[in-house]
Amino acid sequence: MDAVTQVEGRAIPFGRKNIDTDVIIPAKWLKTISREGLGKGAFETIRVEPDNIFDSDEFAGSPILIAGDNFGCGSSREHAAWAMLDLGIRAVIAPSFSDIFSGNAFKNGILTVVLPQEQVDRLLEVAQSQPITIDLESQSVTTPFQDRFTFEIDPFRKHCLLEGLDEVGLTLARDGAITAFEASQAQQMPWFAKGTGAAA
Amino acid sequence: MSTRPRTLYEKIWDAHVVERRDDGTCLIYIDRHLVHEVTSPQAFEALRLSGRKVRRPDLTLAVPDHNLPTTARLDGSGARIPIADPESAQQLAALERNAPEFGIRYITDTALEQGIVHVVGPEQGFSLPGATIVCGDSHTACHGGIGALAFGIGTSEVEHVLATQTLLLKQSKTMEVRVNGALPAGVTPKDLILHIIGVIGTAGGTGHVIEFRGPVFEAMSIEGRLTVCNMAIEGGARAGLVAPDETTFAYIKGRTYAPTGDAWNRALAWWKTLQTDDGATFDKSVVIDAADVQPTVTWGTSPEDVAPIGGTVPAPESFADPSKQEAVRKSLDYMGLAPGQKLSEVEVQNIFIGSCTNSRIEDLRAAAAVLKGRRKADNVKWAIVVPGSGLVKAQAEAEGLDRIFVEAGLEWREPGCSACLGMNPDKVPPGERCASTSNRNFVGRQGPGARTHLVSPAMAAAAAVTGHLTDVRELVD
């Protein structure tokens, strides 16, 4: 994952609630074995409209998306995050996110910024004409009109994002603890350790 | 270990903590990892690129389901019929190659055990009560029906579990959905979960794990519990749970990967402790009276857009929230419905009985009971029954259910995810309606422009007979 410190630029004032991952990337695009090139299918059912905001001269390629409540609900497909990255989106601001989507976004270096609805409404208004800045270190969203909203983020996620850390690598370094857990579980709950009996 | 009263979720969580960090994040051990072809290729590729291995191939089980056509897989001579869609074929081939390369047991597409990953797990006894179970699929919540902590993950997490057999997680909040009383005649677990999602909304369970509690769930079959937990994700909860009990133990016993002998007895002793303690508290609680639940259908493009079959399409203005009004306007436009229209008069051209929500033997029996001696309506152009696994299919055929479906004019298919999301050739044509036993009525879910009405298997069968959404209680006693 590339390190993320700041996302700055125009923000797509989308605003819609309950955007599910089938809308972010329809199933027909999931047949790939790569993470690349999914931007062409991103928000496809919305982008069939000729005057849609994603392809407008003003907002195409913007790094920030502003959405409504429960963004990314539904399917666990990480293709949603890959598709948004491919479209150029590096951060999403919304009043709430689905649990799975926010995890997938984080793993791909996309910031998911949770702000109260009234602040999101203000940003939707500002975004019509002005850029927005999200700063991860100070956990703030600012506008040229001196708006400054702060947001919460899990400290571990923040650390990983700022440093661009490989989470698998970090956990592999905890091999001793995992091995100890497995030894203890094999004693206390041997039925779990049995599995399918397959061997590497 | 603390002795304060704990919820079922907390007990399973506590039993799987490898390490607890200062900020409360825990490294959680994963007992079972199910893998299918859609969300795994990039994870295997990442392992290959970094030279990493699968830590516990024996705790991992791979099965293809999403892309497989549900038409015959072998020709008359027993040779495999090639898959027409090159992208589907490529994705399936990748799993068939990756599983043995990394030492993972792979159920091939023509095996009797093949099926939808969430049907296969419990059916094989691979999914067990009290286990932590993950899969790169949001309907992994399903396995909560046997009392497992099961949830969907993204592909990066699939990679993380393959490499480390763990996930870094923050503990979820707890939510209780208690259903008192008994479900009225003709009302099924699917109607109940649709009703529950209507009550709590699609974000109602966000950040929470839902435990379904009360006499309705205690009396419910495992198939029913799997259906309910399957759709916990549609209520925003990453996982749903029903406490394991004698019904669960009877279901698990004797299955392929279930423990035996002394291991069974020791497992059973622990499983019997897996109930929420008296005095344990939930962060959120919802109480529902089962008597209020009726055969339920969806009218919109969100699983919370539900109404009893006797109801009408709501007017956007009937919702307080202006953004929901706008969403309903868009939904009704997409669905081609008008406010005030009677739901029982909505014509359907397609019927889909299947998916990880409703493709188990009990679901097929419920549909067959309605269809027996009847015929689908002429306006129903396409009606398919897709069993959840080869074993379900064989059981249904042994009971003669396949003949009932075929005589009623429905097609009897091979197992897979099928028209739930149409990654294979099974799609609903644009602008047409489908009474579907699947789990999502999202825009374009069953194919571009397809209009989905989520229903129970019995209600899908009733719609097949009349050609419109129908209260199944009018067809059966």
Side-chain angles (χ1 to χ4, degrees), chain B residues 244-267:
Chain B
D245 60 9
E246 292 302 329
T247 307
T248 319
F249 310 143
Y251 174 89
I252 299 289
K253 194 166 189 175
R255 293 188 182 269
T256 304
Y257 299 121
T260 53
D262 182 52
W264 170 265
N265 293 330
R266 290 179 66 187

Side-chain angles (χ1 to χ4, degrees), chain B residues 93-320:
Chain B
L95 183 63
E96 194 165 13
R97 195 173 59 241
N98 286 328
E101 180 183 332
F102 288 92
I104 294 165
R105 186 150 292 182
Y106 173 73
I107 301 175
T108 189
D109 58 342
T110 52
L112 193 60
E113 295 80 12
Q114 184 272 331
I116 305 170
V117 67
H118 308 309
V119 176
V120 169
E123 189 175 77
Q124 292 296 316
F126 184 70
S127 306
L128 294 173
T132 46
I133 303 176
V134 298
C135 174
D137 190 288
S138 62
H139 290 110
T140 309
C142 191
H143 308 250
I146 57 157
L149 175 59
F151 49 90
I153 56 178
T155 298
S156 294
E157 289 171 309
V158 170
E159 177 192 347
H160 194 276
V161 176
L162 288 171
T164 71
Q165 205 57 36
T166 64
L167 281 174
L168 260 178
L169 296 168
K170 263 240 155 71
Q171 198 164 348
S172 300
K173 287 186 270 197
T174 55
M175 176 169 176
E176 165 190 47
V177 173
R178 174 175 283 280
V179 182
N180 290 323
L183 290 175
V187 177
T188 69
K190 180 64 165 289
D191 301 303
L192 174 59
I193 188 61
L194 288 172
H195 178 93
I196 290 170
I197 294 161
V199 171
I200 68 175
T202 54
T206 302
H208 294 74
V209 165
I210 297 178
E211 184 179 340
F212 297 98
R213 310 179 76 203
V216 163
F217 301 108
E218 288 162 19
M220 197 177 275
S221 67
I222 294 300
E223 285 86 346
R225 296 177 192 181
L226 291 166
T227 297
V228 168
C229 289
N230 179 279
M231 291 188 68
I233 185 67
E234 266 57 69
R238 209 168 169 183
L241 278 166
V242 175
D245 60 9
E246 292 302 329
T247 307
T248 319
F249 310 143
Y251 174 89
I252 299 289
K253 194 166 189 175
R255 293 188 182 269
T256 304
Y257 299 121
T260 53
D262 182 52
W264 170 265
N265 293 330
R266 290 179 66 187
L268 195 61
W270 184 58
W271 292 341
K272 286 181 174 174
T273 69
L274 294 179
Q275 289 146 6
T276 291
D277 293 328
D278 291 338
T281 53
F282 290 87
D283 296 302
K284 204 167 173 179
S285 189
V286 173
V287 180
I288 285 167
D289 185 349
D292 293 341
V293 186
Q294 295 179 51
T296 300
V297 300
T298 62
W299 48 262
T301 56
S302 166
E304 69 184 24
D305 297 340
V306 301
I309 180 63
T312 55
V313 175
E317 305 75 48
S318 67
F319 295 87

